[in-house]
Amino acid sequence: MINKKVKSKNNFFWIYAVILAIFLGIFFLKSSFYNPKKINQDYFFKIFIKGDVKKIIIKHRELVLVYLKKENLSYTDRINPFINRKKIMTNSFQYEFEIGDLQFFQRKFEEYKKKYHLNTIIDFKNQQEYTITKFFFDYGIFLILLIIFWVFIFRKIGATGGGPGGQIFNIGKSRARLFDESDNIKITFKDVAGLEGAKEEVQEIVEFLKSPKKYTKLGGKIPKGALLIGAPGTGKTLLAKAVAGEAKVPFFSLSGSDFVEMFVGVGASRVRDLFEKAKDKSPCIIFIDEIDAIGRARGKSSIAGSNDERENTLNQLLTEMDGFGTHTNVIVLAATNRSDILDKALLRPGRFDRTILVDPPELNERKEIFQVHLKKLILSKKVDIDFLARQTPGFSGADIANICNESALIAARKNRSQIENKDFLDAIDRIIGGLEKKNKIIKPNEKKRIAYHEAGHAMISWLLEHAAPLVKVTIVPRGKSLGSAWYLPEERQLTTPEQMKDEICALLAGRSAEEIIFNSISTGALNDLEKVTKQAQSMVVIFGLNEKIGNISYYDSTGQNEFTFSKPYSEKTAQIIDEEISKIINEQYKRAKNILKNNEKKLSLLANKLLEKEVLFREDLKNIFGERSFSC
């Protein structure tokens, strides 16, 4: 059945194409045959005195139309297959020209006519000669082409807008996909690892719809909506899929961009249609993914005086969610990673009563996510899930799923029958640092500088108390970096100035090592300097961790500074901020140099081992420095 439908659509397409080609051909042929040649008066009187002119018509006292006799018609005119020859001889003029003085022309015409004994007819036409029949004959083909073209375009637009028959009137219909009990949705809350707090609130929403009397008998009201907020990949859409799998009520799913269209009023029409369908299916759930596509705060970055289709769509959504006659069991779920730009009217109680934060998973939650994704993989018995969870701080659920998939691909590439721990570490390296480039040509002196640079990072991170301990360091090029080191950062909710300074010191250790060993520095510390500058700037400007600036933060959580060109502090304060940032960085740079100079032999030993093996692990640093001690 599907193949027949596709075939019939293709047949209709070719029929339209052939019809358009035929009409275009006729139109252009007709226009080419009916284009008279423009001449001047001198040329006219030359052919006039030869007796070739049958008749002339003077229109509006300024334009002369010249009709030639039958025997003087061009060969092309005589063999024209589309126009009757008799009609050409009687109705078609071959030349035209303009005259200045009508009396002078008429007098000269009469003189030549009498002198050469000619019977040429002269006529005058000052009224409008177009009739409805003639207008349709001249422009009818073009109008037919235009109508066919627009019918074809509207059919295509209607087809993309949904609805039977692909009619243009369906463009205002909602594009939401409906899931009900007949759909086999296999994702449930058991498939959503971690996110326990978010799952509890979402499960409660499902319970609201299943047994509303349990909550309303005490006088409570069912929430109108819940907004899922979180970074990309944290599981917002997965939660919504689980709701669709768990709920025994109809579930409408669509994206915020599905409301947006180039035609004015379409977005608002689709919102109305969506809620009308939802009310018919009540109780039900509407899920709008990426709601920031239509929910952006009104008045920002819009052209003054313009009719913003997105704002019209948002206004209609606000009305449907909390307007007159909205006492129905329809709950709206929405997801976004840009909650800071959403309109305040959308976030108020009565519309989105609940805001559910979907944070990146913690250590135990990452372990649960690994267990879900590792079920389908063939693993070695030595694979340590706890170790993998510790190696992925800050990773989202999507990142962990990608790591599991990459590890399987790496193991298959190496012709292994099982996935090992090393494959997971290689997958993490691949995702964080990029593809390994062992064939990249590096000069020996550059390779030595890279080794000392990375050894400096590894050494300082091992010796400082608050710096993240090393997991792996390598001088094999990967992605855009010539060398890299992986650390195991401590998962903490609060950070002190001492911890931030230790991190800055560890980042500056690479350049410090270069200066100590080679008495010069290179451009290899670009990424380190960028991180250091942002870290020091956040200490002074955002977190109020600087004594000279004091307990002041210039951070704007509302995002209003994005739309202004002025700084929230004076020029004098800006100068102090610059000085304090430079002071923090210079102090930690000197500190890193002092630590490295005091341990220069161990630094050289570590760098030489790195040159020899290219990759060193935590155990290698233990052999050189012993267990971590924090005397620095």
Side-chain angles (χ1 to χ4, degrees), residues 121-133:
I121 301 171
I122 183 172
D123 195 4
F124 297 89
K125 286 188 177 181
N126 294 325
Q127 73 277 10
Q128 181 67 33
E129 66 173 3
Y130 258 124
T131 62
I132 295 177
T133 304

Side-chain angles (χ1 to χ4, degrees), residues 188-213:
T188 61
F189 288 126
K190 294 180 181 179
D191 300 311
V192 183
L195 308 178
E196 295 302 326
K199 277 198 294 186
E200 285 182 11
E201 297 206 52
V202 173
Q203 283 174 326
E204 193 174 21
I205 290 174
V206 176
E207 290 296 325
F208 284 150
L209 296 174
K210 286 184 176 180
S211 54
K213 292 183 180 179

Side-chain angles (χ1 to χ4, degrees), residues 27 236 304 364 474 549:
F27 179 75
K236 301 183 295 296
N364 293 331
T474 177
I549 294 296

Side-chain angles (χ1 to χ4, degrees), residues 467-480:
L470 182 79
V471 173
K472 172 184 174 183
V473 60
T474 177
I475 57 172
V476 177
R478 187 180 288 276
K480 294 183 179 180

Side-chain angles (χ1 to χ4, degrees), residues 298-318:
R298 290 166 291 184
K300 290 184 181 179
S301 65
S302 62
I303 304 173
S306 65
N307 184 10
D308 194 338
E309 174 65 10
R310 180 185 54 77
E311 290 191 2
N312 295 338
T313 306
L314 175 58
N315 291 336
Q316 186 62 43
L317 179 63
L318 296 174

